[in-house]
């Protein structure tokens, strides 16, 4: 199996794996499992996998490649449970934003389609919202955005360095427990 690094997003990896089909687990299809970890997951349905992209398409035309519209999100992914951890990540980016806002709700978005200053980003790109009081982030108010998508027409998720580091740490813990 071959693993690929996403060219523009240096912290995402594609791992070529066989994914068992639900009705008949003895049959499988080749997929690229999208992950923040450089090593392949212990199983294709591991919670360390963000989702899957078919390695081949089921069309009559063999020249058609799989695209972002073919991406299937892994609903068991740790990124869904990551919200409890990312609310405690304080990075310069979000601290500076809180200082600018001073009071009110601040949206934490990924970096694939950054909104203009003072504007609200696309709901697909908003990871969560937190309350800011006296220019300080109140971590207890962290609310994950249910409309956030790992992969959109603008490409796969792109996190700030602080969020990506914390998520990678959470995923490495999960991967080590899976292999134990």
């Amino acid at each position: 199996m071959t693993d690929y690094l996403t060219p523009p997003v240096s912290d995402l990896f594609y791992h070529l794996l066989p994914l068992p089909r639900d009705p008949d687990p003895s049959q499988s299809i080749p997929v690229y499992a999208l992950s923040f970890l450089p090593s392949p997951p212990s199983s294709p349905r591991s919670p360390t996998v963000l989702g899957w992209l078919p390695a081949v398409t089921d069309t009559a035309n063999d020249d058609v490649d799989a695209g972002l519209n073919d991406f299937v999100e892994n609903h068991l992914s740790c990124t869904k449970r990551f919200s409890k951890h990312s609310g405690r990540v304080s990075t310069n980016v979000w601290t500076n934003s809180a200082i600018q806002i001073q009071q009110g709700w601040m949206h934490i978005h990924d970096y694939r389609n950054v909104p203009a200053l003072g504007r609200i980003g696309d709901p697909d790109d908003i990871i969560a919202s937190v309350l800011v009081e006296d220019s300080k982030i109140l971590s207890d108010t962290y609310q994950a955005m249910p409309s956030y998508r790992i992969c959109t027409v603008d490409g796969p998720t792109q996190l700030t360095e602080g969020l990506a580091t914390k998520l990678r740490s959470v995923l490495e813990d999960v991967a080590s427990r899976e292999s134990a």
Side-chain angles (χ1 to χ4, degrees), residues 14 16 30-34 51-56 66-72:
Y14 293 93
L16 184 60
V31 296
Y32 288 104
L34 183 63
W52 307 276
L53 189 62
V56 294
L68 293 177
N69 290 337
D70 299 307
F71 181 80
V72 177

Side-chain angles (χ1 to χ4, degrees), residues 4 56-57 59 72 117 128 172 176:
Y4 295 95
V56 294
T57 57
T59 63
V72 177
L117 185 62
E172 287 168 350
S176 67

Side-chain angles (χ1 to χ4, degrees), residues 21-36:
R21 293 183 183 252
D22 281 336
D24 183 5
S26 66
Q27 294 183 355
S28 64
I29 57 170
V31 296
Y32 288 104
L34 183 63
S35 176
F36 278 102

